[in-house]
Amino acid sequence: MAKVSLTGSVPTGRKVAAAAAGNLKHVTMELGGKSPLIVFDDADLESAIGGAMLGNFYSTGQVCSNGTRVFVQKAIKDRFLSRLKERTEAIVIGEPMDEATQLGPMVSFDQRQKVLSYIDKGRAEGATLLTGGGIPNHVTGEGYYIQPTVFSDVTDEMTIAREEIFGPVMCVLDFDDEAEVIARANATEFGLSAGVFTADISRAHRVVDQLEAGTLWINTYNLCPVEIPFGGSKQSGFGRENSLAALAHYSELKTVYVGMGKVEAPY
């Protein structure tokens, strides 16, 4: 085996990289994330809320690129939270094979317990539980179900804002201006993904240019067609999946120079 490709956690990635170094194997890694999703006050509110929900609740939050730190500009914070709460509480939780279901169970009992422990930490550290936070009691059938959860009044220092939860837990933080939110968005060891919602496309490009992440979206979130490269930076890994960029990691570049004339040496 000459190539190792890993999708997993940062601690696992470190171990795999160390093991691969012994034989100088090629390695690409797509690791964890704590991605920022920035909503400016001129954004389409319903679209931004939809993006935040897809970026937190899709696959019951078990997606590494999820935008779990949702930064909302203060001018629209109250409207954003009110509508987000309403839409989140309307999510249909249930059996994955039921076409009416919008949110299925967690992958395991242990993972649900881990997510619930983070919810407890959020409460203990002073975040406001806007909705969710527990196990739904109306779901029939087997499965480790958990309510889609939203915290507001989250600060950058809280555990739920720093560590990857890997469950349907959204943290909403507020901000004043562009420079501030860029600095705060980048203040993390992770650099997998990021998103920006704004009607000002020039500002959108200016902001994503400064965000330290490998995969970024403007006015959408978590769309990953196979034609575009996907991957991260910093502790979120290196290398790319999808597109021609991924093929390069599984190939060896060979250089061949063909001389067409006689060789003339100075000695």
Side-chain angles (χ1 to χ4, degrees):
M1 182 174 63
K3 167 73 171 64
V4 177
S5 176
L6 172 70
T7 299
S9 68
V10 174
T12 301
R14 293 191 182 111
K15 293 178 182 178
V16 171
N23 292 321
L24 296 180
K25 295 183 185 296
H26 292 273
V27 178
T28 55
M29 296 190 173
E30 192 266 277
L31 306 177
K34 195 66 184 177
S35 302
L37 193 162
I38 302 169
V39 181
F40 286 97
D41 58 13
D42 63 345
D44 181 292
L45 192 66
E46 291 298 315
S47 182
I49 292 170
M53 293 175 72
L54 284 173
N56 279 269
F57 304 144
Y58 181 75
S59 194
T60 322
Q62 299 164 115
V63 180
C64 51
S65 60
N66 273 354
T68 51
R69 291 184 296 147
V70 180
F71 291 90
V72 180
Q73 202 157 21
K74 288 181 179 179
I76 61 168
K77 175 185 173 182
D78 290 343
R79 289 191 294 128
F80 184 94
L81 290 174
S82 176
R83 184 64 177 136
L84 173 62
K85 182 177 187 294
E86 181 180 357
R87 290 179 60 175
T88 299
E89 292 177 350
I91 292 175
V92 179
I93 309 171
E95 164 61 42
M97 298 305 291
D98 185 341
E99 292 186 0
T101 294
Q102 297 173 320
L103 189 79
M106 301 293 299
V107 69
S108 68
F109 172 81
D110 287 345
Q111 184 60 25
R112 183 175 68 178
Q113 293 304 108
K114 176 184 176 183
V115 173
L116 290 172
S117 72
Y118 272 109
I119 291 172
D120 289 341
K121 288 179 183 178
R123 288 194 184 105
E125 293 179 11
T128 300
L129 182 64
L130 187 69
T131 187
I135 299 173
N137 55 21
H138 67 281
V139 180
T140 58
E142 297 182 358
Y144 305 106
Y145 294 93
I146 189 169
Q147 295 173 320
T149 299
V150 179
F151 279 104
S152 62
D153 303 314
V154 178
T155 63
D156 299 318
E157 298 76 22
M158 291 180 180
T159 303
I160 57 173
R162 293 184 292 104
E163 299 182 9
E164 185 178 35
I165 299 173
F166 219 64
V169 180
M170 184 191 307
C171 298
V172 179
L173 308 89
D174 58 37
F175 71 95
D176 287 304
D177 58 48
E178 182 179 313
E180 171 206 342
V181 76
I182 292 171
R184 292 170 61 196
N186 287 337
T188 173
E189 66 176 350
F190 299 107
L192 185 54
S193 304
V196 175
F197 278 82
T198 177
D200 185 342
I201 195 67
S202 295
R203 173 164 62 184
H205 281 286
R206 183 172 64 246
V207 171
V208 298
D209 185 57
Q210 297 175 76
L211 292 176
E212 297 168 353
T215 306
L216 302 102
W217 292 277
I218 294 173
N219 291 332
T220 188
Y221 203 83
N222 260 352
L223 296 183
C224 296
V226 296
E227 298 87 356
I228 67 169
F230 176 81
S233 60
K234 296 165 49 172
Q235 294 296 298
S236 290
F238 44 84
R240 292 296 179 267
E241 300 174 356
N242 297 342
S243 79
L244 291 175
L247 296 180
H249 299 303
Y250 294 85
S251 306
E252 283 284 3
L253 184 63
K254 180 182 288 186
T255 302
V256 178
Y257 186 104
V258 179
M260 301 301 290
K262 294 182 179 181
V263 177
E264 297 182 5
Y267 42 79

